[in-house]
Amino acid sequence: MYCRMNRGVYMRANGELACYCGPGEEVVLGRMPVDGRAFDFVPDFYRNAGHARVREAMASGLPPHPGVCLKCIYFEPLLPPRLEALDSEIEWMHLEATSNCNLDCRFCIPRAERATFRTPPHFLPFGVYASVLDSIARAGMSVRWMYFSGRGEPTLHPRLWEMVALAKKRLGTDFLVNTNGNARYDDAIVDSGLDKIKIAIDGVDQQAYAHYRRGGRLDNLLALTRGIAARRAATGATSPRIIWQYILFAHNDSPRELETIQRMALDLGVDEVLFKSTFSADLSTFPLADIPRVHPGMRTLDLIAMVSPDLDDLDRRLAGARAEADPVRRLESLLHVAKSVFRAFILGIERKQLYNAFGGGGDVAMMTAMARRHPEEYGPLLERLGPCLEAVAGACHEAGRPGAARWYEDFLATLAAKEAARP
């Protein structure tokens, strides 16, 4: 049983260590001091009880947080836990430089709520960040890759490029920065040693771009891209690799636009164009396989496919899982089916707060409400979820894990009560 959290760290700007982004935002695995108190990151946090619980649960064949794990796209019940090299390497570190943002994108946290949706500080203190790097270096560990991303815009942090340079110097890690592109160009972007910069560009003109990236200016993004490419050429640098990420929506997915954005990327020295589907509002139904290939670095990522189960396939997998003789393997296979059902409800969630809350305690209410509003889409999923979780609970009992069965039994009882109360 595998989860990305087995081998990595998601650090928020306020020092909280969350169980990765998405539904896992609701689970905090640790809180680093941000008030100047000393700490040693590796023993105090990377190896703390919260992270250890995730790793130990995955190794034992059980999700540590069932109501969250079943919805997380990084939870893979059928894969091995991959716990090797934990004493020598942190595979990845997802760092939130700030929770503030200069845009007001439709799916994300509304700008008016940014000051209150998370406790301060809203900028990762430089001293905390430096202490983390020092601890990793003292422990003789490496970090395979690091990236600034999270719920805010990293380039708003006044010491961002200094922070990148410090990580490159101390750990030599491969470093990526995710940005909405509405940042002032600075020579330090290239001079910091940054390996990759991913810039979100979701339209070929201002109107299409600002439809989702509200408050953003396409001209700013193009100027940033142009400046990075020019600095690389002037200094002979080979990095950062420039990646344009283009999310497909119903308003920007015509073949003409998808071809045009690639030609723009070629003209500006962009190394890669990533086309990505989304399950948020205004989603596109254009097949990623039909995107015309113009840029040699074009690739695709289909998030909709990751959360869109086929009902006939679900039925076949559920029948096969229930027929598995070994209770441990049966449990893993059943959890894989349950995960597919839970994830499918993500398609109906239109705002980031609801998406995150889907990992909390309101799951049954949200799922049954969606089934009432859209019975043809979500009713069949709920019909399959009950028998699946009943079988999961049975497999837990048979494997000698009655405590683990309790969550699924409680969920089923709540689901039955909600269904019985339907008008």
Side-chain angles (χ1 to χ4, degrees):
M1 193 167 288
Y2 172 74
C3 170
R4 279 197 75 186
M5 287 305 301
N6 286 359
R7 302 175 57 81
V9 173
Y10 174 30
M11 182 189 306
R12 291 173 175 160
N14 63 2
E16 293 177 342
L17 300 170
C19 195
Y20 215 57
C21 59
E25 294 269 6
E26 299 300 300
V27 179
V28 177
L29 303 177
R31 288 180 170 86
M32 298 187 303
V34 291
D35 56 2
R37 284 178 292 153
F39 65 93
D40 195 347
F41 174 75
V42 172
D44 295 346
F45 294 103
Y46 182 62
R47 295 177 182 149
N48 71 355
H51 286 89
R53 179 186 176 190
V54 172
R55 297 171 190 136
E56 291 166 2
M58 294 291 166
S60 72
L62 287 171
H65 306 284
V68 174
C69 297
L70 288 178
K71 284 150 291 193
C72 180
I73 61 175
Y74 302 105
F75 173 53
E76 297 295 343
L78 300 181
L79 295 181
R82 292 187 59 223
L83 297 172
E84 68 278 3
L86 291 181
D87 290 335
S88 60
E89 178 191 72
I90 299 174
E91 185 176 65
W92 58 270
M93 293 189 72
H94 179 149
L95 309 170
E96 184 183 75
T98 177
S99 56
N100 289 354
C101 192
N102 50 356
L103 301 189
D104 197 15
C105 301
R106 292 174 180 269
F107 182 60
C108 204
I109 310 298
R111 180 183 291 171
E113 299 175 19
R114 285 209 171 254
T116 57
F117 90 101
R118 189 174 292 160
T119 58
H122 299 301
F123 288 86
L124 179 63
F126 185 86
V128 170
Y129 173 79
S131 293
V132 170
L133 299 188
D134 289 343
S135 175
I136 295 170
R138 280 197 311 273
M141 300 180 71
S142 62
V143 180
R144 192 179 302 181
W145 64 82
M146 299 174 73
Y147 47 105
F148 278 122
S149 189
R151 293 289 166 252
E153 168 51 37
T155 60
L156 295 179
H157 198 293
R159 302 183 71 175
L160 183 77
W161 307 117
E162 185 181 352
M163 293 161 82
V164 171
L166 185 62
K168 294 297 295 184
K169 178 180 178 181
R170 296 289 279 133
L171 301 174
T173 185
D174 188 296
F175 215 116
L176 163 74
V177 167
N178 276 315
T179 174
N180 61 37
N182 280 259
R184 181 179 301 173
Y185 170 74
D186 190 319
D187 285 348
I189 299 173
V190 176
D191 299 347
S192 67
L194 180 68
D195 296 279
K196 297 181 286 291
I197 185 165
K198 185 188 291 182
I199 305 173
I201 179 169
D202 308 316
V204 299
D205 55 41
Q206 176 60 25
Q207 181 178 0
Y209 171 74
H211 185 90
Y212 179 71
R213 303 286 171 183
R214 294 184 298 191
R217 293 291 310 173
L218 182 61
D219 288 348
N220 294 339
L221 187 155
L222 299 178
L224 177 67
T225 303
R226 200 175 288 115
I228 295 170
R231 181 67 176 176
R232 284 193 318 191
T235 61
T238 58
S239 63
R241 182 175 177 83
I242 304 171
I243 304 165
W244 273 4
Q245 176 179 279
Y246 190 100
I247 300 178
L248 270 69
F249 295 100
H251 66 268
N252 70 356
D253 65 351
S254 71
R256 179 194 64 80
E257 290 169 294
L258 303 181
E259 180 176 333
T260 298
I261 198 69
Q262 294 181 69
R263 297 197 183 283
M264 290 169 61
L266 287 170
D267 290 343
L268 290 174
V270 173
D271 302 287
E272 182 179 321
V273 180
L274 170 63
F275 290 106
K276 187 175 176 180
S277 66
T278 179
F279 44 74
S280 63
D282 191 35
L283 59 86
S284 168
T285 58
F286 189 87
L288 295 183
D290 292 346
I291 297 176
R293 179 176 288 275
V294 175
H295 194 292
M298 189 270 274
R299 64 186 181 95
T300 61
L301 177 61
D302 194 348
L303 291 183
I304 293 179
M306 296 172 69
V307 297
S308 301
D310 176 87
L311 293 180
D312 291 337
D313 179 59
L314 274 181
D315 291 338
R316 284 192 297 270
R317 288 196 286 131
L318 179 56
R322 297 178 79 169
E324 174 62 54
D326 180 80
V328 175
R329 292 181 62 183
R330 187 188 325 138
L331 176 59
E332 292 173 346
S333 298
L334 288 167
L335 286 171
H336 192 258
V337 176
K339 174 201 72 173
S340 299
V341 176
F342 268 90
R343 284 185 189 174
F345 281 84
I346 291 174
L347 278 167
I349 299 174
E350 297 185 355
R351 287 185 59 199
K352 182 64 70 176
Q353 294 96 318
L354 293 176
Y355 176 50
N356 292 346
F358 189 42
D363 303 326
V364 172
M366 186 179 292
M367 295 166 82
T368 53
M370 291 167 70
R372 283 195 293 272
R373 288 195 302 269
H374 307 284
E376 293 184 1
E377 186 173 1
Y378 296 108
L381 291 170
L382 279 188
E383 290 171 6
R384 287 159 173 81
L385 183 59
C388 181
L389 292 187
E390 185 177 3
V392 168
C396 287
H397 281 294
E398 191 172 344
R401 297 172 176 179
R406 191 170 301 118
W407 185 90
Y408 305 99
E409 293 169 340
D410 290 346
F411 188 97
L412 282 168
T414 306
L415 181 62
K418 282 283 184 182
E419 287 293 283
R422 285 177 63 176

